[in-house]
Amino acid sequence: TNQTNFGGWYDPLAQSFLVDTDNKSDGVFITGGDLYFKTKDNTIPVTVQIRTMRDGTPTTTVVPFGQVNIEPSDVLTSDDGSVATNFKFNSPVYLQAGYEYALVLIAPTEKYLTFITRMGEEDLLLKAVYNRQPYLGSLFKSQNQSTWTPSQLEDLKFTLNKAKFVTDTPSSVIFYNSELPLGRIRKNNPVTAYSKRQRVSIAD
């Protein structure tokens, strides 16, 4: 698998979470999710990433396809965290079961404020005291995405959507060649079909 290192000096916010193994699967595919903002920047987008974790700390390695930008026009805000801002990855993001990952928010501006919960404080929507940690993870703050400070009494408010695949259903896949400059085609017929129906299996 290809992995991307996201360089540069930014002040990201990260929330670690554990991929559950109760369903005895090899992992999950994440299609997107929801974030909750109080304020936003009118011109600068916010970047959402899913990164790997090492020794309990977010790394600079973004999992394959695990990055998307949310344009300011798509960011919805509220004063109590009741309005969700949806984001979708360009392709489902595979996360291995039993491993920790970090949901990371990046924006080179101080105008984005996102909602969190803090142990012992009243929830703005439920009007009840928040007394448990739901993600088996921690909120991390950083001034340079190199040194992370965990805040073990705080958690980011977010939702991740897990893909559910339809099985035992006939489907079709269409392959085509993009236009290439003259002289770049090495073979006139690179694909040969021997029947009208093929069964294709993709291993782990």
Side-chain angles (χ1 to χ4, degrees):
T1 59
N2 294 325
Q3 294 181 334
T4 303
N5 287 327
F6 193 85
W9 297 96
Y10 296 93
D11 296 345
L13 191 69
Q15 172 68 48
S16 64
F17 61 93
L18 178 68
V19 178
D20 197 2
T21 57
D22 288 346
N23 55 8
K24 301 187 184 303
S25 67
D26 294 330
V28 297
F29 284 88
I30 301 300
T31 60
D34 293 319
L35 296 168
Y36 299 84
F37 293 95
K38 182 178 177 67
T39 61
K40 67 177 182 177
D41 192 289
N42 293 325
T43 58
I44 300 176
V46 58
T47 300
V48 182
Q49 299 175 336
I50 296 183
R51 298 188 187 183
T52 59
M53 297 273 292
R54 182 185 299 121
D55 299 327
T57 303
T59 69
T60 58
T61 300
V62 180
V63 300
F65 310 109
Q67 177 173 315
V68 67
N69 290 334
I70 306 177
E71 295 299 325
S73 58
D74 297 325
V75 175
L76 305 178
T77 61
S78 66
D79 291 328
D80 57 3
S82 60
V83 179
T85 295
N86 183 259
F87 65 92
K88 293 182 180 179
F89 294 110
N90 294 328
S91 177
V93 180
Y94 174 70
L95 303 180
Q96 191 172 352
Y99 282 79
E100 274 190 305
Y101 295 89
L103 181 68
V104 181
L105 307 182
I106 300 174
T109 175
E110 297 179 352
K111 294 184 178 180
Y112 280 101
L113 293 178
T114 184
F115 282 93
I116 65 171
T117 56
R118 182 178 292 116
M119 291 276 287
E121 292 190 0
E122 186 180 69
D123 188 285
L124 294 177
L125 294 177
L126 300 178
K127 302 302 181 182
V129 176
Y130 183 70
N131 59 4
R132 64 187 180 92
Q133 292 181 296
Y135 314 123
L136 298 177
S138 298
L139 185 72
F140 289 87
K141 304 171 185 178
S142 177
Q143 290 184 324
N144 52 19
Q145 82 164 345
S146 175
T147 302
W148 294 89
T149 301
S151 183
Q152 299 186 26
L153 298 180
E154 297 174 330
D155 289 287
L156 179 71
K157 182 177 183 180
F158 73 100
T159 301
L160 290 180
N161 298 327
K162 181 176 67 173
K164 182 177 181 181
F165 294 96
V166 178
T167 59
D168 299 327
T169 302
S171 58
S172 300
V173 179
I174 300 175
F175 296 95
Y176 64 94
N177 286 332
S178 301
E179 258 186 62
L180 298 175
L182 292 176
R184 295 293 299 275
I185 300 178
R186 297 178 180 269
K187 188 177 181 181
N188 290 331
N189 297 302
V191 177
T192 303
Y194 295 99
S195 69
K196 293 184 179 179
R197 180 173 293 179
Q198 295 286 333
R199 184 180 297 275
V200 179
S201 297
I202 300 177
D204 292 341

